[in-house]
Amino acid sequence: MARLKESSLAAPNGAPGVRRSGVWSREVGWFVAIGVASTAGQALLYWVLRQWWPPVAANLVSLLVLTVLNTEANRRLTFRHAAAGPVRAHLGAGGLFLLGYVATSGAVLWFTHAEPGASPAAETAVLTATSVAVTVVRFVVLRLAVFRTPARTQR
C-alpha cells in the first residue's frame, strides 16, 4: 500500500504531496479499454473453440492468445512510461496467466458439473464473469510489481 501511495504522490515537476491522479486515470482508462476488448476476444474465441474442444482446452488456447495480445497492448499503451521491456512484461504476465487459467477453468468446470446440459454460450458467460474478477487482480499486480520501476516512484 505504501508503494501505491508513493507512486500516486508527486507533481509532474517532482514536487511531493500533489496527487498524480491523471496518470492513474489514464492507466485505468487504457486498462479498462484493453480489458474489455481482450475479454470480448477471449469469450468469442472460447465460444468458437468450445464447439469442438472440451472446456479446459478451449479456455487454455483462448486465454493464452488473448493474454499475449493483452500484455503487449498494456505494455505499449497503459504502462508506456514504465521501463519494463517486453521480456519482463510477458514473464510477469505469465504468472498472472496461470492464476487466470486456474480461476477461469475452475469456474467453468464447476459450472459444467453443476449444470451438465449447459450450452457453450452459458459457459462463456461464466468464463467472462470470472475473467473480469481476475482482471482487477491483474491490474494491481501489473501496476505495482511488473511495471514498477525506481524511476516511477521518484517522479
Side-chain angles (χ1 to χ4, degrees):
M1 205 57 163
R3 285 185 187 140
L4 180 64
K5 289 179 183 175
E6 286 176 21
S7 65
S8 66
L9 293 176
N13 63 2
V18 178
R19 294 214 170 267
R20 292 182 54 221
S21 60
V23 172
W24 271 89
S25 296
R26 181 190 56 76
E27 287 179 352
V28 169
W30 274 113
F31 195 85
V32 167
I34 292 166
V36 167
S38 296
T39 301
Q42 183 196 1
L44 179 62
L45 186 55
Y46 174 86
W47 181 76
V48 168
L49 294 174
R50 187 60 184 95
Q51 306 302 314
W52 303 282
W53 294 355
V56 174
N59 186 35
L60 178 66
V61 172
S62 66
L63 187 60
L64 183 61
V65 169
L66 270 299
T67 295
V68 170
L69 296 173
N70 176 289
T71 300
E72 191 59 22
N74 278 310
R75 186 182 76 80
R76 291 176 184 241
L77 299 171
T78 306
F79 304 111
R80 66 179 172 247
H81 298 297
V87 173
R88 179 177 174 189
H90 287 280
L91 284 176
L96 294 168
F97 166 80
L98 293 175
L99 168 72
Y101 179 68
V102 168
T104 55
S105 289
V108 170
L109 289 174
W110 171 82
F111 180 71
T112 57
H113 177 72
E115 297 289 331
S119 69
E123 290 175 18
T124 302
V126 169
L127 177 91
T128 301
T130 307
S131 292
V132 170
V134 168
T135 297
V136 173
V137 173
R138 182 176 163 82
F139 176 78
V140 172
V141 172
L142 286 174
R143 176 67 166 76
L144 298 179
V146 176
F147 292 103
R148 183 179 83 64
T149 63
R152 167 169 260 160
T153 59
Q154 293 175 3
R155 284 186 193 171

